[in-house]
Amino acid sequence: MERTFLAIKPDGVQRGLVGEIVRRFETKGFTLVGMKFMKVSKELAESHYDVHKERPFFSSLVNFITSGPIIAMVWEGEGVVAAARKMIGATNPLTAEPGTIRGDFGVNIGRNLIHGSDAIETAQREISLWFSDEELVTWESQMKPWLQ
Ligand code: RTP
Ligand code: MG
């Protein structure tokens, strides 16, 4: 089953949006398989955003991600990678559609509340970067047959 890596960034935690953000993925119908509250090391932040290392905003991005605790999560479900990106919205919250997380709660491109893997291969890389196998819980809701 497809999985994605999501992280509520320090601004999302500090603005008290953890419950709201988690709720959206829960009520959509995706399955939580991993979650941890943590401060991010510089090494992990740099590795996570490795593709952006030549960009001018790289050091401020790493500084921001390491500035306060985050919630790292793995969610599972059919088409979850693309669907989560859609629910998160465009990178710049000012142009993100209303109804998306960034569109509803953000105003600043550097403070856009949540990260979501941008492709299935990226998700696989990010999940193994952030979580060990023992931290991921495979489970099936008893409600599932009834919901479907
Ligand atoms: P993310 O990786 O955090 O989920 O965000 P994203 O895919 O929507 O955007 P991406 O292009 O991967 O950029 C990573 C983060 O870098 C910051 N950024 N700043 N022009 C800028 O100042 C700029 N562009 C990107 C954003 O915080 C973005 O989330
Ligand atoms: Mg990205």
Side-chain angles (χ1 to χ4, degrees), residues 9 48-49 52 55 57 61 85 89-91 102 109-112 114-116 118:
K9 298 180 182 182
H48 173 76
Y49 279 125
H52 297 310
R55 310 279 286 272
F57 55 82
L61 181 58
R85 290 282 291 188
T91 306
R102 289 169 175 168
I109 193 167
R111 300 284 184 275
N112 59 10
I114 177 169
H115 162 81
D118 60 14

